[in-house]
Amino acid sequence: MLINVPETVVADALRGIAAAHPALTVDVENRVVLRRDAPVAGQVGLVSGGGSGHEPLHAGFVGPGMLSAACPGEVFTSPVPDQMVRAAAAVDGGAGVLFVVKNYTGDVLNFDMAAELAEDEGVTIAKVLVDDDVAVTDSLYTAGRRGTGATLFVEKIAGAAAAEGQTLERVEAIARQVNGSARSFGVALTACSTPAKGSPTFELPPGELELGVGIHGEPGRERRAMMTSREIADYAVDVVLEDLRPTSPVLLLVNGMGATPLLELYGFNAEVHRVLAERGVPVARTLVGNYVTSLDMAGCSVTLCQVDEELLRLWDAPVDTAALRWGC
């Protein structure tokens, strides 16, 4: 691994983020990444976070039109409440702060505690839980559905609403609408390896894949012999559509798990578009790349989000972050 020692992986990465992106304020000691212009007076602040190892989620999405702050935890480990309280205080411009929380038990508990502490300090907090993964109901880390690719859609669209000056109540409602309109399904071709372990976190024999894998390597629905890109697209999209049943155009995220090259992801995207066309589902916008990753896992996920005119307008609104940028 391209590291010094496992104990400093997150701190080293944060120093690198600071060096690469001067538009961010990176507090390495307290593990908080902020927009340099935070707080923005009169604008709802958006704070998210989670275990490291999913980059560019979440620090890569801090900036105008998206998150106000991100709180990175240790690898695959929730950030602690103190990080979230610091972030909330730093981005509170008087209009309140929205916590965007992926549905993993540690994240949920720590963000709940942080919300109470921040409100004790006079910050108005709202929360939205992202639980878009249709693969399984409960997992090693979660009660209920896991939060995965829809996190990007929630952060982008809610961030655009906040940038327009919409109220905390309205930004929260939009974030909940996005989550309720989005579904995801992931596939692992290889296991991932954490820096602390230095070897795969689970066994996936050569020539097999895991259908419905979680972003920490949690088990999915089943294992099968290796499938073609076409076969995986047929399976994954049909599972998502069975649950979502969209009646309007969708946003599509074809996401890499960290080790799958863009050549393969774009080929997979072509197959996903084929399936959606065959099922009569129009695609309004497509995003392809590594956005919600799992360290060095090879694999992919598909996220669909049904959109109306307002959500599509907010998706198209300008955004300027390290990992997502357009219209600026």
Side-chain angles (χ1 to χ4, degrees):
M1 292 183 178
L2 189 64
I3 64 172
N4 292 316
V5 293
E7 293 76 14
T8 66
V9 165
V10 176
D12 291 346
L14 289 173
R15 287 199 300 272
I17 290 170
H21 302 289
L24 300 175
T25 297
V26 181
D27 184 341
V28 177
E29 181 179 356
N30 293 301
R31 305 289 176 88
V32 177
V33 179
L34 300 162
R35 290 176 53 163
R36 187 166 288 279
D37 61 353
V40 180
Q43 184 172 304
V44 171
L46 260 69
V47 174
S48 193
S52 296
H54 305 303
E55 288 73 23
L57 191 79
H58 294 272
F61 300 141
V62 175
M66 211 160 177
L67 292 178
S68 308
C71 305
E74 293 297 326
V75 173
F76 289 1
T77 304
S78 171
V80 298
D82 283 353
Q83 292 173 257
M84 305 159 192
V85 174
R86 283 181 185 273
V91 305
D92 181 24
V97 174
L98 177 67
F99 283 168
V100 178
V101 188
K102 299 190 303 303
N103 189 31
Y104 295 96
T105 301
D107 290 13
V108 172
L109 292 175
N110 286 347
F111 269 100
D112 283 349
M113 185 179 299
E116 294 179 7
L117 294 171
E119 289 187 330
D120 287 344
E121 296 184 5
V123 181
T124 302
I125 301 291
K127 294 175 292 182
V128 61
L129 189 68
V130 182
D131 57 354
D132 56 303
D133 184 8
V134 300
V136 295
T137 300
D138 298 303
S139 72
L140 298 176
Y141 294 80
T142 309
R145 289 179 167 178
R146 303 174 293 211
T148 56
T151 312
L152 184 153
F153 289 148
V154 171
E155 292 175 354
K156 169 61 184 77
I157 293 173
E164 290 183 347
Q166 299 198 38
T167 66
L168 178 60
E169 182 180 23
R170 181 59 186 150
V171 174
E172 178 189 5
I174 289 170
R176 292 185 184 278
Q177 180 185 352
V178 173
N179 179 65
S181 302
R183 302 288 189 275
S184 297
F185 189 87
V187 179
L189 308 181
T190 68
C192 57
S193 300
T194 63
K197 191 170 188 290
S199 60
T201 56
F202 64 97
E203 290 187 10
L204 186 56
E208 294 187 9
L209 51 73
E210 181 90 23
L211 293 168
V213 72
I215 58 174
H216 307 96
E218 310 97 308
R221 291 186 170 190
E222 62 176 303
R223 289 188 178 179
R224 288 191 182 181
M226 191 61 68
M227 300 159 66
T228 66
S229 177
R230 183 183 185 91
E231 292 168 337
I232 294 171
D234 283 328
Y235 186 100
V237 174
D238 280 344
V239 169
V240 171
L241 292 179
E242 284 171 9
D243 197 286
L244 183 60
R245 300 185 183 276
T247 57
S248 63
V250 297
L251 302 176
L252 166 63
L253 171 63
V254 170
N255 174 67
M257 294 295 198
T260 299
L262 278 171
L263 178 71
E264 296 175 30
L265 290 177
Y266 277 118
F268 182 64
N269 179 56
E271 296 297 345
V272 171
H273 271 260
R274 172 190 57 79
V275 180
L276 290 171
E278 291 172 356
R279 306 298 186 267
V281 179
V283 178
R285 303 287 185 272
T286 302
L287 187 64
V288 179
N290 289 286
Y291 292 101
V292 183
T293 63
S294 184
L295 293 168
D296 60 343
M297 182 186 290
C300 59
S301 62
V302 174
T303 303
L304 300 179
C305 179
Q306 184 173 229
V307 290
D308 56 23
E309 289 185 4
E310 182 185 24
L311 295 188
L312 186 58
R313 178 184 62 79
L314 292 169
W315 174 257
D316 287 339
V319 59
D320 188 7
T321 71
L324 207 65
R325 181 181 300 111
W326 58 68
C328 298

